[in-house]
């Protein structure tokens, strides 16, 4: 008695129809994956340029901060030198010299010395040893150096963020290349199931990669 394969034909026909629909979708997916891969490469290059700019700006900011730090150290050394002579004049009772040196202090140093003298350091054992520990003592260059160092840290963080985003766009180009690979080998399978499986895999990777790309910031 001959075998009847007619019951399997509708299933094969349905699979063939689905295969045709997926083939049409994959043809569109191939074009889309190619375009999106190029777009991701473009975005990666932009973010890499942004990273370089932030690192360059951070380097320049660090250099300015270092210069100001050196200037602050020089100013403090000068303050210390004048104050040593001022303190010696006070201890020797040479008020004329002490007054002369007092008026040679920077305004910030003079305020610190006034605040320090108000603590009566000659008779008060709890008074600070020098005016350099007083809150009134400040050096503008030192404050500006600290601000620039903080700015440089922020610029480095921005550079690192740009680098991470650039790397993610590079990774997405790999996923889009996987789409092209899966879609390219699908027709080589004689089995309808193999054909469908690899085409569906290509479409799935495309959807995931596209959603991931849309969630990334653009330069």
């Amino acid at each position: 008695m001959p075998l009847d394969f007619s019951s399997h034909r509708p299933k094969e026909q349905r699979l063939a129809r689905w295969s045709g629909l997926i083939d049409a979708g994959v043809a569109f997916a191939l074009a889309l994956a190619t375009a999106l891969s190029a777009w991701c490469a473009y975005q990666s290059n932009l973010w890499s340029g942004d990273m370089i700019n932030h690192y360059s700006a951070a380097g320049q900011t660090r250099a300015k901060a270092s210069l100001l730090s050196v200037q602050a150290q020089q100013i403090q050394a000068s303050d210390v030198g004048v104050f040593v002579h001022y303190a010696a004049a006070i201890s020797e009772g040479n008020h004329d010299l002490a007054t002369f040196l007092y008026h040679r202090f920077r305004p910030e140093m003079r305020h610190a010395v006034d605040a320090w003298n108000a603590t009566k350091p000659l008779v008060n054992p709890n008074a600070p040893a020098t005016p350099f520990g007083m809150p009134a003592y400040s050096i503008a260059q030192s404050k500006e150096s600290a601000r620039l160092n903080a700015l440089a840290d922020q610029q480095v963080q921005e550079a690192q963020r740009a680098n991470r985003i650039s790397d993610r766009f590079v990774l997405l180009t790999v996923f889009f290349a996987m789409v092209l690979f899966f879609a390219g080998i699908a027709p080589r399978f004689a089995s309808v199931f193999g054909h469908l499986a690899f085409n569906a895999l290509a479409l799935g990777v495309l959807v995931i990669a596209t959603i991931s790309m849309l969630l990334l910031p653009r330069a």
Side-chain angles (χ1 to χ4, degrees):
M1 179 179 179
L3 296 176
D4 184 9
F5 294 99
S6 60
S7 60
H8 297 285
R9 290 177 183 172
K11 184 177 180 180
E12 292 291 337
Q13 290 173 353
R14 287 194 300 270
L15 288 174
R17 285 197 298 269
W18 276 108
S19 181
L21 291 174
I22 291 180
D23 284 343
V26 168
F28 172 76
L30 288 172
L32 183 60
T34 302
L36 294 181
S37 180
W39 169 256
C40 287
Y42 171 69
Q43 285 293 312
S44 178
N45 287 332
L46 290 181
W47 281 107
S48 293
D50 195 45
M51 175 195 67
I52 293 172
N53 290 336
H54 281 302
Y55 272 130
S56 177
Q60 294 175 2
T61 304
R62 293 277 191 211
K64 293 178 182 178
S66 297
L67 178 60
L68 288 172
S69 178
V70 171
Q71 292 176 354
Q73 292 172 3
Q74 293 173 341
I75 292 172
Q76 186 174 29
S78 176
D79 287 343
V80 170
V82 176
F83 174 74
V84 167
H85 292 294
Y86 169 80
I90 292 293
S91 65
E92 294 169 0
N94 190 342
H95 298 292
D96 291 339
L97 178 59
T99 301
F100 173 81
L101 293 172
Y102 174 82
H103 290 293
R104 296 301 180 274
F105 287 141
R106 296 180 304 110
E108 296 85 358
M109 180 63 182
R110 193 178 305 122
H111 294 325
V113 170
D114 290 341
W116 181 66
N117 284 330
T119 65
K120 301 185 183 302
L122 297 180
V123 297
N124 180 11
N126 296 321
T130 68
F132 301 103
M134 303 297 295
Y137 181 75
S138 64
I139 300 176
Q141 287 83 348
S142 180
K143 291 182 178 179
E144 181 65 10
S145 176
R147 187 191 71 82
L148 290 177
N149 276 321
L151 176 60
D153 289 340
Q154 181 181 355
Q155 290 169 333
V156 168
Q157 291 175 359
E158 289 295 326
Q160 292 172 342
R161 173 179 176 269
N163 184 49
R164 288 193 298 270
I165 295 173
S166 176
D167 289 344
R168 289 174 185 172
F169 274 111
V170 171
L171 180 60
L172 287 176
T173 62
V174 175
F175 279 103
F176 287 123
M178 289 172 60
V179 173
L180 301 177
F181 172 75
F182 289 138
I185 66 172
R188 296 182 177 274
F189 287 87
S191 169
V192 176
F193 289 104
H195 193 181
L196 288 173
F198 274 88
N199 280 336
L201 184 59
L203 291 175
V205 173
L206 176 64
V207 170
I208 293 173
T210 302
I211 293 174
S212 299
M213 184 197 71
L214 294 175
L215 294 177
L216 288 177
R218 284 163 290 284

